[in-house]
Amino acid sequence: MKKYRAGDFLLLGEIIIIGLAAAAHLTALMLGWTFSRCAQFFWGLAGGAFAWGVVFSLYRMRRGKRVPEKGCYFPKDTDRTVRCMYGLLAVLFLTQLIFICSSGSGWRRGDMTVETVGSFLAADGLYQVNPMTGLPYTEGLPARLKILCLPTLYGSLCKLTKLSPSILVRKAVPIVMLLSSYTAFAMLACALFPKETEKVQEKRLCFLIVVSLLLWAGAYQYGMDGFSLLCCGWMGVTIRNLVLLPWMISLCIRGKWGEAALCIPAEACITWTLYGCGVCLVFWLGMAVAGSVLNGKRGGGERKAGGRRRKGPGNP
Amino acid sequence: MTDWIGDAWSGWTGYTDKGKLPALLLAVLLFVWFSGKWREQKGLLAYTTAMTACCIFPVTAAGWMMYQTRFYDYEWIWSLVPATAVTAYGMTLFWTEYRNKNAGKWNKLLPVILLLLTALVFCGSLGGGDREGETQKAEREKVHALLVQLSDRYPEMVLCLWAPREVMEYAREEDASVTLPYGRNLWDAFLNAYAYDTYDQDILTMEKWMEHVGSSEEAQGDTEDITLEECVAMAQDRGVNCILLPPGASAETIRRMEAALGITAEPLAEFSLFITCQ
């Protein structure tokens, strides 16, 4: 099996959850189910996927293969510099966590996720009422918007956790996205600095510290990565920019083009794209073309000892 | 087409108005290309450089805005650029190289650390920027308390609420079982992208009347467009069964409202509450 890290499985799990939410959402829309039934269907699918994952992991462990095969090189080192860097990273992470928990409701302009989730729960139906008024639609809404699955996912989480839409959407989900974003950037750090040398953990930690500082520094304006993570953590564009894209880059660098392509439909399920042609597709194609042009016949990514080529779009 | 290019140009100006992180990205790209470090991550850096150029130049930026179907504004085409990742990568390469050359020499390392942090601070804001302020937080909490009191007083009633803007803006967020004749999208035009529904002139008149009540120009409940009684009848036709008048409403307005509805006003926090059917 190809080399995967624990963070890869976490992020893959999130993509699977997005996919299952999209499946439940579209099924409920087509069949006219109530939201309660849709949520039950989603949790049934999620439970089945989780059970399958457990069985698969146990099967691989019985066959003598660890899943994941190798963790990222963050050993419990006694080096003082590394410990200081871990401490600094933890402090930066905690400050961002505190900011999300203690700040107001984040960025409301142009966003009606909370009202939409609340409408699903109150009306027990998907897009039965206009979230702005609570009254039935008179003209309807765009189909491309109607198929996005995040309100269903968040509403299902509200049903499970009994949290109000406001708390779940504006506090709980951004906290999860903060963790996921750091995981994605950690995977990217491992891909950018792959050689397992003595100083590699310093480079990776330095990268993460700078990322964290850039996220703080970029919180000045709507549309910046830092602002998205700290003030709009529930939005589809935030999940795309700070979880899917960093992870996708790490997969492309490692030559895992098939897995990276999963981010494309995941984005289509959570953000408005033109027939699924979103940012992830451009990233994937751009990385493939850039890698092919600059590497010639050699594909990008890790190489096994002995120089065996890995398959990818850059390779004939 | 010229409009789109103009939007792309003004978008770039606005994007770099409040902060200069794109400038930091450009500096990092120059560093990695001229120092030869681009060879380690050729594909990523080539892609980033090409896409950065596309997002800066108006013609290509307009093209990417068209690709995004112009549903998103200019700043979102920068999602195509892995700015955070590449900036962090370049700064990491610079720092690790410099540190290796000056290992242990804190008189040389410390100024560089301070310089890099200063660059970050001046290019960004470290937590500042637009987000909900304390005023909005207080308003939200006030609306939450109002709705809790309403549901306590009338637990079986499905409310269709008509109130001043500061209540209507947060009502649906705090309690989705409350319906409104008009919502937050009346004041936030971006929200109108999510539905084809529009508001007719009656709704606009109702909103204008409600904002007029309690203002310094209020004259016994009438505006130049409509009288109090006509506006109340219009609201009732829309299904409104719960009216909150703002604290500044005149005694004459409240009296006329009571007469028009045939009920007595109740106090609710600092508002005057009218419930028309129970």
Side-chain angles (χ1 to χ4, degrees):
Chain A
M1 191 174 185
K2 297 175 187 176
K3 187 168 67 175
Y4 290 102
R5 298 184 166 93
D8 289 321
F9 285 92
L10 175 66
L11 296 167
L12 182 64
E14 292 189 7
I15 286 188
I16 290 172
I17 288 172
I18 288 171
L20 295 177
H25 179 80
L26 292 173
T27 304
L29 278 178
M30 283 192 297
L31 300 179
W33 285 355
T34 62
F35 182 72
S36 301
R37 192 170 177 191
C38 174
Q40 285 171 357
F41 182 54
F42 166 70
W43 286 117
L45 290 175
F50 179 74
W52 182 88
V54 168
V55 168
F56 178 73
S57 301
L58 289 173
Y59 169 73
R60 283 191 55 79
M61 283 166 67
R62 286 196 65 158
R63 287 192 63 188
K65 294 187 180 185
R66 278 187 59 232
V67 174
E69 290 188 0
K70 186 173 180 181
C72 197
Y73 191 64
F74 285 143
K76 293 177 185 176
D77 208 288
T78 56
D79 182 80
R80 196 174 124 189
T81 303
V82 170
R83 275 186 284 148
C84 288
M85 293 175 87
Y86 269 118
L88 178 58
L89 184 63
V91 166
L92 287 169
F93 173 81
L94 281 172
T95 54
Q96 290 169 343
L97 187 66
I98 291 168
F99 179 86
I100 289 172
C101 293
S102 63
S103 67
S105 67
W107 184 257
R108 297 171 68 237
R109 200 179 305 167
D111 178 74
M112 57 180 199
T113 305
V114 173
E115 288 99 331
T116 304
V117 173
S119 298
F120 283 10
L121 294 168
D124 198 23
L126 278 68
Y127 294 113
Q128 299 299 306
V129 298
N130 189 326
M132 293 286 94
T133 60
L135 301 172
Y137 282 101
T138 56
E139 304 291 336
L141 69 160
R144 182 62 188 93
L145 187 70
K146 205 172 181 179
I147 64 175
L148 300 180
C149 71
L150 281 182
T152 291
L153 175 59
Y154 296 157
S156 301
L157 286 168
C158 285
K159 273 199 169 288
L160 183 73
T161 60
K162 307 299 179 196
L163 289 172
S164 70
S166 183
I167 296 292
L168 184 117
V169 169
R170 296 222 168 105
K171 299 293 180 194
V173 171
I175 291 171
V176 173
M177 287 308 119
L178 181 70
L179 290 165
S180 303
S181 179
Y182 271 79
T183 304
F185 278 107
M187 295 300 99
L188 182 54
C190 295
L192 290 170
F193 307 103
K195 294 176 186 172
E196 306 293 0
T197 61
E198 189 182 324
K199 295 285 186 184
V200 72
Q201 67 269 37
E202 285 189 25
K203 288 184 182 178
R204 291 170 178 170
L205 285 168
C206 181
F207 175 82
L208 287 176
I209 288 168
V210 177
V211 164
S212 191
L213 288 170
L214 284 170
L215 292 174
W216 262 128
Y220 58 83
Q221 180 175 283
Y222 179 66
M224 304 297 294
D225 282 348
F227 190 93
S228 295
L229 185 65
L230 298 176
C231 305
C232 318
W234 64 88
M235 292 186 187
V237 288
T238 303
I239 299 170
R240 176 192 67 193
N241 287 6
L242 287 141
V243 180
L244 296 182
L245 288 178
W247 188 47
M248 177 185 239
I249 297 173
S250 77
L251 290 170
C252 292
I253 291 171
R254 287 183 276 166
K256 301 183 192 313
W257 299 97
E259 293 87 336
L262 289 175
C263 296
I264 298 169
E267 180 194 3
C269 293
I270 62 175
T271 63
W272 179 298
T273 63
L274 177 65
Y275 304 114
C277 295
V279 171
C280 289
L281 177 64
V282 174
F283 249 88
W284 192 88
L285 289 174
M287 291 288 288
V289 167
S292 298
V293 167
L294 290 173
N295 293 331
K297 288 189 178 178
R298 297 167 60 183
E302 296 164 344
R303 300 190 160 275
K304 292 187 178 178
R308 204 172 95 197
R309 289 192 302 180
R310 300 177 73 82
K311 287 186 181 178
N315 294 335
Chain B
M1 187 65 189
T2 50
D3 290 340
W4 289 358
I5 294 175
D7 288 345
W9 179 250
S10 60
W12 164 248
T13 310
Y15 190 66
T16 53
D17 188 33
K18 292 183 182 178
K20 302 289 182 269
L21 282 184
L24 202 57
L25 172 66
L26 291 174
V28 161
L29 288 174
L30 285 173
F31 164 72
V32 293
W33 283 110
F34 283 103
S35 66
K37 298 201 178 296
W38 59 274
R39 292 184 180 86
E40 295 172 31
Q41 295 294 341
K42 287 181 247 189
L44 175 64
L45 292 168
Y47 168 82
T48 303
T49 305
M51 202 51 73
T52 302
C54 286
C55 289
I56 292 174
F57 293 116
V59 175
T60 46
W64 284 121
M65 289 172 74
M66 282 198 304
Y67 173 76
Q68 289 192 94
T69 65
R70 293 174 64 82
F71 182 81
Y72 298 101
D73 289 330
Y74 170 84
E75 59 265 17
W76 290 109
I77 66 172
W78 280 86
S79 302
L80 295 162
V81 179
T84 302
V86 170
T87 306
Y89 176 65
M91 290 178 76
T92 301
L93 289 179
F94 171 80
W95 169 249
T96 51
E97 183 181 337
Y98 187 81
R99 185 171 181 266
N100 289 339
K101 285 181 184 172
N102 298 281
K105 299 175 186 174
W106 284 101
N107 59 330
K108 288 190 175 180
L109 294 175
L110 204 53
V112 171
I113 293 174
L114 293 174
L115 186 67
L116 291 174
L117 285 175
T118 305
L120 270 174
V121 169
F122 279 99
C123 287
S125 75
L126 289 179
D130 297 325
R131 58 183 182 277
E132 186 176 81
E134 289 303 315
T135 309
Q136 291 183 10
K137 193 174 175 183
E139 286 178 350
R140 171 189 306 280
E141 289 170 356
K142 188 169 75 175
V143 170
H144 179 79
L146 271 176
L147 293 176
V148 166
Q149 288 181 58
L150 269 174
S151 67
D152 286 343
R153 278 195 208 182
Y154 304 100
E156 302 298 324
M157 195 170 165
V158 177
L159 297 172
C160 183
L161 174 67
W162 183 34
R165 174 179 170 172
E166 62 264 26
V167 177
M168 301 276 274
E169 273 215 57
Y170 300 99
R172 292 278 303 162
E173 283 188 29
E174 296 300 318
D175 185 352
S177 64
V178 172
T179 60
L180 308 171
Y182 51 88
R184 188 156 61 93
N185 55 330
L186 192 62
W187 306 290
D188 183 349
F190 292 104
L191 293 171
N192 291 320
Y194 298 120
Y196 298 127
D197 294 2
T198 55
Y199 293 123
D200 56 26
Q201 189 56 46
D202 287 351
I203 290 291
L204 300 178
T205 304
M206 284 173 60
E207 188 267 341
K208 192 176 170 186
W209 183 90
M210 182 57 77
E211 296 312 304
H212 176 79
V213 171
S215 68
S216 57
E217 293 87 24
E218 183 191 355
Q220 302 178 344
D222 294 337
T223 67
E224 57 190 26
D225 298 324
I226 198 168
T227 64
L228 181 149
E229 289 75 15
E230 289 169 344
C231 200
V232 168
M234 196 185 291
Q236 286 186 299
D237 288 340
R238 299 273 168 169
V240 170
N241 58 14
C242 177
I243 302 173
L244 282 176
L245 291 185
S250 66
E252 178 62 16
T253 299
I254 294 173
R255 186 197 66 75
R256 286 177 65 185
M257 183 73 85
E258 289 176 337
L261 295 170
I263 54 175
T264 308
E266 304 171 40
L268 184 70
E270 67 266 33
F271 293 88
S272 301
L273 169 67
F274 298 85
I275 295 286
T276 59
C277 65
Q278 303 178 23

